[in-house]
Amino acid sequence: MTTPLISISHANLRHNVATLASRVAPSEVMMAVKTNAYGHGLVEVCQTALEAGATSFAVLEIAAAIDLRNAGISAPLFAWLFGDDEIPAGIDHQVDLGISRREQLSIAGAYGKPTNPAIVHLKIDTGLTRNGATVNQWPSLCEEAARLEKIGNIRVVGVWTHLADATPQDDEDALELFRAAVDIARQAGLTPSILHAGASSAGLRSDASRLDAVRFGIAAYGVSPFDSPTANDLGLRPVMTVSAPVTHVTADHALVGIGFGHGILTGDNDERFVRIGSDTYRVTDIGVDSMRIVPFENSPWPVLLGARAIIFGDGGPSAEQLGAWCGTIGDEVVTSVSPHIRRTHN
Ligand SMILES: Cc1ncc(COP(=O)(O)O)c(C=O)c1O
């Protein structure tokens, strides 16, 4: 293979989802698959994750949820970022709607019918201020939802929030607000059966945040949400591996055929390496379609033309490691890789 390649390991994905599911049981895994499953391939990831123990998906957009429905995925799909005009399509495709505002509720209540009600998860903002009803707006949102539920046009199955993951104390304070909001929803006559708040970081470190479901994203792809512990420490395995061939070899350096034009992050760091077989080579420069590598003191030289270099993933540096070299996080490393690179699912 002479081109860059993204290899998606479904064995590792299966392992991660099963590991996380057993870690948080009896809470369920609502796996976050936003932005094309963090660049890993939406439909393929959902199919494997379902087999491994995920029971629902957090998809972000209604359009992505519809793609999943069209691919035959019948599990609950939760969307929370959409225009008001997309709500009817969400209802038609039985997409669970994350609702923060009265206007959204009115549209859902007007379009939903007792034969096909809007499935609603009401969102309370507990400090992240991304969306969600404020504490002041919450009681009236719940009352209106209860009224529409009585008519049969909506069904409130969930109450949710998104923890900011700043510090464990911030998350605990947010959870206290959340519990108070759930009490208010129940007093209004709602009977939500799915309470969810945490993503990878809270889900891994705090029992209290797990509630009925954890929306695991990055951890399921084998990337740690923490600086420490690493994914390996957490028993998680990399799902995405990016590799490229050596395309040119000289007496003192070689070129590997992948660069920032393929979505590989540039970052100036003396420790940055790629791995070829079991040997490491320092990356000294990244261009649009190639990167320059040189041997470390102990690396065998010359490297073979056509040998494959692991840029990150299984057998190479981790996505978190590459993120740290580039001053960012592993999430950015995996989601930045160009969708135009050849991809194999194995
Ligand atoms: C609402 C929501 N839930 C879950 C996630 C998954 O987060 P993580 O990748 O940290 O697990 C995200 C990601 O930003 C999110 O916005």
Side-chain angles (χ1 to χ4, degrees):
M1 177 81 54
T2 55
T3 56
L5 190 66
I6 303 175
S7 163
I8 304 295
S9 166
H10 285 254
N12 286 358
L13 176 62
R14 207 170 277 120
H15 166 86
N16 294 342
V17 174
T19 300
L20 295 170
S22 77
R23 181 150 179 171
V24 302
S27 305
E28 301 199 355
V29 173
M30 179 195 287
M31 184 167 163
V33 291
K34 60 190 207 177
T35 57
N36 191 30
Y38 291 55
H40 291 65
L42 180 64
V43 173
E44 295 90 342
V45 161
C46 289
Q47 284 163 338
T48 297
L50 276 175
E51 289 165 17
T55 53
S56 62
F57 296 101
V59 288
L60 187 68
E61 297 139 339
I62 287 176
I66 293 174
D67 287 346
L68 284 173
R69 287 284 180 253
N70 289 340
I73 301 284
S74 58
L77 304 175
F78 171 64
W80 67 95
L81 195 72
F82 43 78
D84 289 357
D85 58 338
E86 295 174 276
I87 290 174
I91 296 171
D92 285 343
H93 289 84
Q94 283 82 48
V95 178
D96 291 21
L97 303 170
I99 296 265
S100 301
R101 294 181 285 111
R102 283 280 296 242
E103 295 79 3
Q104 294 174 314
L105 206 50
S106 302
I107 296 167
Y111 191 82
K113 296 283 166 292
T115 45
N116 185 30
I119 310 163
V120 169
H121 298 229
L122 294 177
K123 183 176 186 192
I124 174 82
D125 175 32
T126 52
L128 191 58
T129 63
R130 256 195 219 163
N131 54 16
T134 62
V135 170
N136 288 341
Q137 294 163 338
W138 183 249
S140 86
L141 190 72
C142 290
E143 276 155 28
E144 179 60 4
R147 189 183 73 78
L148 292 168
E149 189 168 63
K150 266 197 197 111
I151 303 168
N153 291 4
I154 73 167
R155 204 153 56 81
V156 179
V157 300
V159 171
W160 73 293
T161 189
H162 191 49
L163 299 177
D165 292 337
T167 65
Q169 186 57 50
D170 289 336
D171 284 356
E172 187 38 54
D173 294 347
L175 280 171
E176 208 170 305
L177 261 176
F178 183 74
R179 286 188 281 267
V182 173
D183 285 346
I184 291 171
R186 293 205 167 112
Q187 281 154 22
L190 298 171
T191 53
S193 58
I194 314 166
L195 307 180
H196 50 112
S200 293
S201 128
L204 283 165
R205 74 182 169 198
S206 143
D207 290 359
S209 75
R210 292 176 185 157
L211 305 170
D212 296 301
V214 181
R215 297 185 309 268
F216 277 117
I218 199 65
Y221 303 94
V223 178
S224 175
F226 311 114
D227 292 338
S228 168
T230 64
N232 193 41
D233 297 336
L234 292 164
L236 302 171
R237 301 175 185 162
V239 177
M240 179 186 288
T241 297
V242 173
S243 66
V246 173
T247 55
H248 182 70
V249 184
T250 73
D252 62 0
H253 75 270
L255 296 179
V256 174
I258 193 167
F260 62 75
H262 300 98
I264 300 301
L265 300 186
T266 57
D268 203 9
N269 190 304
D270 281 354
E271 289 171 33
R272 181 168 178 169
F273 68 84
V274 295
R275 186 160 273 142
I276 300 177
S278 55
D279 301 305
T280 52
Y281 296 85
R282 193 155 78 80
V283 177
T284 59
D285 190 38
I286 301 184
V288 64
D289 56 11
S290 66
M291 61 173 65
R292 187 176 185 275
I293 60 169
V294 297
F296 286 109
E297 211 170 292
N298 298 323
S299 329
W301 197 262
V303 287
L304 282 182
L305 201 61
R308 287 202 82 77
I310 309 287
I311 313 305
F312 70 87
D314 228 351
S318 67
E320 302 93 299
Q321 176 69 82
L322 179 49
W325 288 330
C326 298
T328 185
I329 53 176
D331 307 43
E332 187 172 343
V333 172
V334 292
T335 55
S336 295
V337 181
S338 168
H340 303 299
I341 299 187
R342 265 187 76 140
R343 176 185 297 262
T344 61
H345 287 270
N346 40 56

